[in-house]
Amino acid sequence: GSRVNELLQEYKKIGGDKIDLQVYDVRPDSEEEEWAIKYGLKAASLQSGESVYFGLVLVNSKGVDSSIPFFNFDRQQQLEYDVSKLLSASLENAKPKVAVISGITDIQGEVSQYGVQEDWYFLNQLKESTDLSVLPSKIQDISPDFKLLILIHPKSLGEETLYAIDQFVLGGGNMIALVDPFCQADKGDGSQPGGVSQSKNSSDINKLTETWGLKLISDKVVGDAKYSASVSAGQGGMPIHYPPWMILDKEAVNQENIATNGIDQLLMIYAGAFEVSKVEGVNSEILVKTSKESHLYSKHEVEIPSEQADELLRTFVSDNKEYPLAVLLNGKFKSSFKDGRPASSPDNGGTENASSEQGRAAHLNESKGSSNVIILSDVDLLSNRYSVNEQNFFGNKYVNDNQIIFQNSVE
């Protein structure tokens, strides 16, 4: 609390009369509590039953408000950045517009380990800090008004949607994509290693990214003996080290990039591996990678009963290669659709039309300006099950840095 107060006092000192700093001790059933709730601040319940508010509200001269609902202790290192970002957004009078396309149906209602249906945590965070729109998976155009497009498990996207994404990026839009060769959130039960799924639980956007110098290796899951997580082998089984579940430390993370600086621990399960190639005009930077003690498994090899999971470590043979798990692409991108907009599918009744035929922008074969694209090879890292403790003393608490790497990428 004292650190937050000292930082706000510094802002007050710098801003002078332009900043009116007010600090309230919010009591139950008080007028202050009514205002705290009105502005979207969140209360944490103490063991005594009392509620504690520890957030920040900014109201600009036009009466537009924005807030940090509750200061997250896991973001202490980003405190100054978070407050500065909030202040900047307040001065702009509008939240940035962000679009999400998801191949997971329950992203807005995942059933938690306690049987409660909740949105994925990252989605709630975006709703608080951005003007968020969830778009359908069938869409012909994406508005350039969006500052950022987020793809979550983009499986089985049609040509029209891929074209819309292609043109959004070439038009100057930024994008974050989470792809996955073996998505457990889509499978329905990722609580234990092993288990067979007949569903289409893999996703990639290779149709686009291969043109930009990046490819997710198809139907392969990466495992790492150095970073293998300890998991339970079956009902009542002894803990074992399981390479396809990786707990990656700071050595696996690019500490020079703002998106990954300070990241100490990531949990990635059944993640994919990327191949990176040089493309003129596009710079690539690896953000997260395996150690050389890694190996590519086929999906069939990891679709085994949990009681046999220890076989993967006993028979492990290293590829002696570091595999990229998250990559930043930056520069001027070329279109994957050299012949322009693909012909409309005969069965496009569910396709959203964002603009009329006459009002559509002309086809772009190359970027107008520079764009940023971050792609990660694991969707499950954002799932509540693998990233947040849902019953923490002060509300949601991160159990690793999975949410933080995503938030940093968004910012």
Side-chain angles (χ1 to χ4, degrees):
S2 60
R3 185 181 174 197
V4 172
N5 186 58
E6 288 172 4
L7 177 62
L8 295 179
Q9 293 294 344
E10 283 295 315
Y11 277 102
K12 169 64 178 172
K13 183 178 179 181
I14 295 171
D17 294 339
K18 295 181 179 179
I19 295 180
D20 178 18
L21 177 62
Q22 300 178 24
V23 180
Y24 295 95
D25 182 10
V26 179
R27 299 291 182 179
D29 301 319
S30 64
E31 185 178 353
E32 287 81 4
E33 184 176 49
E34 290 181 9
W35 279 104
I37 295 172
K38 177 180 180 292
Y39 283 122
L41 298 189
K42 292 184 176 179
S45 297
L46 303 179
Q47 291 178 331
S48 63
E50 292 184 89
S51 295
V52 173
Y53 290 89
F54 186 39
L56 176 67
V57 176
L58 287 179
V59 183
N60 65 18
S61 58
K62 295 184 178 181
V64 178
D65 63 88
S66 52
S67 68
I68 296 176
F70 198 95
F71 285 106
N72 192 312
F73 297 142
D74 291 315
R75 289 188 63 82
Q76 292 185 61
Q77 293 183 338
Q78 289 84 23
L79 175 61
E80 184 173 351
Y81 177 83
D82 288 344
V83 175
S84 297
K85 183 185 71 171
L86 190 70
L87 183 59
S88 176
S90 178
L91 292 174
E92 291 175 0
N93 298 326
K95 294 180 179 180
K97 293 176 69 66
V98 172
V100 173
I101 296 176
S102 174
I104 297 178
T105 55
D106 66 356
I107 196 171
Q108 293 180 281
E110 179 184 39
V111 178
S112 74
Q113 58 184 310
Y114 304 106
V116 179
Q117 195 171 37
E118 298 178 337
D119 289 356
W120 281 28
Y121 183 78
F122 87 90
L123 202 62
N124 286 329
Q125 295 294 101
L126 285 175
K127 288 176 181 177
E128 292 168 356
S129 60
T130 70
D131 181 1
L132 183 68
S133 297
V134 179
L135 303 181
S137 59
K138 292 183 179 180
I139 192 167
Q140 292 183 346
D141 299 278
I142 299 172
S143 171
D145 292 339
F146 290 114
K147 302 300 182 185
L148 175 67
L149 172 65
I150 300 172
L151 304 180
I152 306 294
H153 196 36
K155 63 177 184 177
S156 305
L157 294 182
E159 291 283 293
E160 290 177 319
T161 300
L162 288 170
Y163 178 78
I165 296 169
D166 176 280
Q167 294 295 288
F168 173 79
V169 173
L170 268 62
N174 298 311
M175 182 173 75
I176 300 172
L178 281 78
V179 297
D180 202 310
F182 193 35
C183 179
Q184 299 302 287
D186 190 28
K187 179 180 173 180
D189 181 15
S191 58
Q192 296 289 339
V196 179
S197 169
Q198 301 300 322
S199 65
K200 166 68 173 175
N201 55 10
S202 63
S203 61
D204 66 66
I205 48 171
N206 286 345
K207 165 77 175 181
L208 304 181
T209 57
E210 283 191 70
T211 307
W212 306 337
L214 190 71
K215 176 185 178 182
L216 182 74
I217 301 174
S218 299
D219 297 319
K220 294 291 184 179
V221 169
V222 66
D224 194 313
K226 176 180 178 180
Y227 295 126
S228 60
S230 179
V231 301
S232 175
Q235 189 70 28
M238 294 292 291
I240 62 166
H241 285 281
Y242 188 62
W245 285 37
M246 299 178 291
I247 298 179
L248 302 148
D249 63 22
K250 60 173 58 179
E251 290 184 11
V253 179
N254 182 348
Q255 298 294 331
E256 301 300 318
N257 190 282
I258 189 171
T260 45
N261 176 258
I263 298 296
D264 294 326
Q265 185 184 95
L266 295 173
L267 172 62
M268 300 182 76
I269 66 171
Y270 301 117
F274 291 116
E275 292 178 344
V276 183
S277 57
K278 289 187 177 181
V279 170
E280 183 182 357
V282 178
N283 300 313
S284 62
E285 184 176 358
I286 296 174
L287 300 179
V288 184
K289 63 183 179 181
T290 67
S291 75
K292 287 189 175 181
E293 297 177 47
S294 54
H295 175 73
L296 288 183
Y297 297 98
S298 68
K299 287 178 64 175
H300 176 73
E301 288 179 279
V302 297
E303 288 183 320
I304 57 176
S306 57
E307 293 81 4
Q308 301 175 16
D310 59 341
E311 287 291 326
L312 293 185
L313 187 60
R314 278 207 300 266
T315 60
F316 184 88
V317 177
S318 171
D319 296 344
N320 194 31
K321 182 178 180 179
E322 295 175 342
Y323 289 104
L325 303 173
V327 179
L328 166 66
L329 302 176
N330 170 266
K332 290 191 173 183
F333 299 93
K334 288 184 169 57
S335 177
S336 298
F337 295 85
K338 303 303 181 186
D339 297 327
R341 181 183 295 274
S344 297
S345 168
D347 180 22
N348 66 347
T351 303
E352 291 278 326
N353 291 286
S355 60
S356 66
E357 201 67 50
Q358 294 79 8
R360 284 176 178 159
H363 170 74
L364 298 174
N365 270 319
E366 188 173 340
S367 293
K368 292 180 177 179
S370 182
S371 297
N372 295 304
V373 174
I374 293 178
I375 306 184
L376 299 94
S377 64
D378 183 27
V379 171
D380 297 299
L381 69 84
L382 268 190
S383 172
N384 294 355
R385 175 177 290 175
Y386 303 113
S387 61
V388 293
N389 181 346
E390 295 161 338
Q391 285 195 344
N392 177 259
F393 188 61
F394 285 104
N396 292 92
K397 179 177 173 61
Y398 304 148
V399 296
N400 46 47
D401 293 335
N402 289 11
Q403 295 287 338
I404 294 175
I405 191 175
F406 178 77
Q407 291 174 10
N408 291 352
S409 300
V410 169
E411 294 160 1

